[in-house]
Amino acid sequence: MINETNSKEDFESEDLKPIAALELNSEQKNDYLKYIFFKNIQANIIIILITIAVLVSEIFYRDPLFKYSISFEKQWQKDASESTIIFFKIITKVGGEYLMGLPVVFVVCYCSLIKSSVFIAGLIFCLHFHSMMKIWYGSSRPFWEDTDLYRDICDGGFGNPSGHSITSAYLYLTLFMYIKDSNFLKGKRISKAILFLLFLTYIILIILSRLILGVHSINQVIYGSTLGVIVMIFSVQVLKLHEMPVVFYKRLFKEKLIIFCVTSILILLAIISVLSVMIFNNEFDYTTYEEKLSKTCGKSLPKYRKFNYDGLFGAFTVLSLLGMYLGQIVFWYLIDNRYKKYNSNIDFNKNESDKVSLSNVSSRDDENKELLDNLINNWNKNRRVLFRSYWNVFKIIIVLNLCMSPMILFILVPKDASMDIIFIYKFGIPFFAILFLIFSFGFYYFIKISCGTKEELLKTEFILNERNLSLSSYDDNI
């Protein structure tokens, strides 16, 4: 544990790994918060300067590379075989729509609550801000300029930066950073290198698919992928919020001032999204490009997936982030109330002669609830208990389906409804409600079903300890 000197070495000790809740006094908590935000002050400055450089430099290569891309992509399509075009159509569909949720599911199932939350928040951040930037830039796509480039991939939103590029770069590089330090790959440099090359190859294939299909230009995919890498570095390497112990992570959802600030910022971002569409005036010939889209895409493309409205569609994902944040406030409230008078004082003595038994356990009124925090922060170990019962799995599936029930609104609201109806009921409410339900009642029932009563919670820890799988001694490296 951290000693009273509060030195830098103490903060960098293994005790601060997210494997157990730490009982610290008020002074130590404040010291840790200062440490987490000011330790990498130089790295923060460097990443900010790099981001500014990327944003500024894009202005100079935007038009030259866009014009070159049209002729380059036209020649590439002419030389490519039909099977090559089909292959890249599959890649762009799989990478952007059908399999983008798989990394999220993997992280939620195999990583801690903190890592899952940071991972999803970073993805939503990418979706929101790249959509806002599309509205601000108002850049066309290559197949809008030359309809001969059209290859049955109809995107009606603006093109700069590339959404596929920014999300794929963030998703798969962050996923690699999570996996590479796992026990499974510990000390396996060749395996890590192979895994990195596989992820990198998949990212490059997604980027190339956007080029050969005429959906994005070279400058747009370079810009998008660079921004995705920056978000990954800032999230994983600089801020390192995914390494925050549970006791500190909970403060983000317990302190009124933090709740007020975060909620206000997210609501403000949603308001800015709407105002950007209403008052932002980019120099764009909507009439001409509307005619081009009608010729290529037909009438199948709804109005809310065109131009600024498509940007607002993506920017509204910030409501998902708001629902996710408020959901975790409810989650911690439910957890604290369910296990309010419970804590574990199990002493895992290393001497073989001293057997661990339930008699070593006492209960007390303590907000920290070390054992419970262990279970929450290492819930990938909970699966070992949870999935032993098909009935438990069935209950989890039912809970998840109930959490997804707001999707009914998305399905029921017609595509030709007014924009107000569409963005409130087709996007706004479902985006907010789904993440809110999953991160509040969904995760709460996951813990409740897998941990059960206080006695079952104790029994779970006892069983895992007897099998050398104690959650309080297991280093969750994923």
Side-chain angles (χ1 to χ4, degrees), residues 256-273:
K256 293 182 179 179
L257 180 60
I258 296 177
I259 293 173
F260 173 79
C261 291
V262 173
T263 304
S264 300
I265 291 172
L266 294 177
I267 293 175
L268 180 62
L269 290 176
I271 294 174
I272 292 174
S273 303

Side-chain angles (χ1 to χ4, degrees), residues 256-321:
K256 293 182 179 179
L257 180 60
I258 296 177
I259 293 173
F260 173 79
C261 291
V262 173
T263 304
S264 300
I265 291 172
L266 294 177
I267 293 175
L268 180 62
L269 290 176
I271 294 174
I272 292 174
S273 303
V274 177
L275 292 178
S276 296
V277 174
M278 294 175 61
I279 65 176
F280 196 85
N281 184 24
N282 48 45
E283 298 178 0
F284 194 80
D285 187 358
Y286 290 97
T287 304
T288 301
Y289 289 101
E290 181 71 47
E291 293 175 358
K292 290 185 177 183
L293 278 177
S294 298
K295 290 180 180 179
T296 53
C297 303
K299 296 182 179 180
S300 60
L301 197 63
K303 185 178 179 180
Y304 65 82
R305 295 312 308 267
K306 296 179 182 179
F307 310 123
N308 279 347
Y309 285 126
D310 180 77
L312 182 59
F313 165 74
F316 255 40
T317 52
V318 72
L319 295 177
S320 299
L321 195 57

Side-chain angles (χ1 to χ4, degrees), residues 44 182 258 304 336 368 448 463 477:
N44 285 321
S182 66
I258 296 177
Y304 65 82
D336 284 344
N368 223 10
K448 181 180 177 181
I463 292 173
N477 284 323

Side-chain angles (χ1 to χ4, degrees), residues 4 8 32 41 63 71 83 109 131 133 140 159 190 206 230 238 255 290 322 348 374 377 422 434 446 459 473-474:
E4 295 180 356
K8 181 177 179 180
Y32 179 78
I41 190 67
D63 290 338
S71 58
S83 59
C109 291
S131 299
M133 294 173 77
S140 61
I190 296 178
I206 292 175
I230 289 175
V238 179
E255 295 189 2
E290 181 71 47
L322 178 62
F348 297 103
N374 276 330
N377 201 35
I422 285 177
I434 290 174
F446 181 93
K459 186 177 180 181
S473 61
Y474 192 97

Side-chain angles (χ1 to χ4, degrees), residues 125-330:
F125 178 87
C126 290
L127 292 172
H128 171 76
F129 277 99
H130 100 265
S131 299
M132 291 299 300
M133 294 173 77
K134 285 184 175 182
I135 296 175
W136 297 336
Y137 286 127
S139 301
S140 61
R141 296 175 183 267
F143 82 90
W144 293 4
E145 302 293 337
D146 190 336
T147 54
D148 292 337
L149 287 171
Y150 178 67
R151 288 295 180 271
D152 300 322
I153 301 296
C154 193
D155 284 309
F158 292 120
N160 194 33
S162 167
H164 280 66
S165 301
I166 188 172
T167 53
S168 61
Y170 169 79
L171 274 176
Y172 296 103
L173 292 180
T174 304
L175 184 61
F176 170 76
M177 296 300 292
Y178 282 6
I179 296 176
K180 75 179 182 67
D181 294 325
S182 66
N183 288 330
F184 179 73
L185 292 179
K186 192 172 184 180
K188 300 178 181 178
R189 294 185 178 181
I190 296 178
S191 299
K192 291 180 182 179
I194 292 174
L195 183 64
F196 175 76
L197 289 176
L198 287 175
F199 281 144
L200 183 62
T201 301
Y202 188 55
I203 294 170
I204 293 174
L205 285 176
I206 292 175
I207 292 173
L208 292 178
S209 71
R210 307 306 283 172
L211 293 176
I212 193 173
L213 298 174
V215 183
H216 283 295
S217 59
I218 297 174
N219 63 292
Q220 292 169 358
V221 296
I222 291 176
Y223 195 30
S225 57
T226 305
L227 292 175
V229 172
I230 289 175
V231 175
M232 182 277 295
I233 293 174
F234 195 69
S235 172
V236 177
Q237 298 289 359
V238 179
L239 292 181
K240 296 185 178 181
L241 293 178
H242 62 289
E243 295 183 358
M244 185 180 295
V246 178
V247 67
F248 301 111
Y249 180 74
K250 287 173 64 175
R251 293 190 64 186
L252 299 176
F253 312 96
K254 305 283 284 186
E255 295 189 2
K256 293 182 179 179
L257 180 60
I258 296 177
I259 293 173
F260 173 79
C261 291
V262 173
T263 304
S264 300
I265 291 172
L266 294 177
I267 293 175
L268 180 62
L269 290 176
I271 294 174
I272 292 174
S273 303
V274 177
L275 292 178
S276 296
V277 174
M278 294 175 61
I279 65 176
F280 196 85
N281 184 24
N282 48 45
E283 298 178 0
F284 194 80
D285 187 358
Y286 290 97
T287 304
T288 301
Y289 289 101
E290 181 71 47
E291 293 175 358
K292 290 185 177 183
L293 278 177
S294 298
K295 290 180 180 179
T296 53
C297 303
K299 296 182 179 180
S300 60
L301 197 63
K303 185 178 179 180
Y304 65 82
R305 295 312 308 267
K306 296 179 182 179
F307 310 123
N308 279 347
Y309 285 126
D310 180 77
L312 182 59
F313 165 74
F316 255 40
T317 52
V318 72
L319 295 177
S320 299
L321 195 57
L322 178 62
M324 172 181 162
Y325 180 74
L326 296 179
Q328 289 204 56
I329 294 175
V330 175

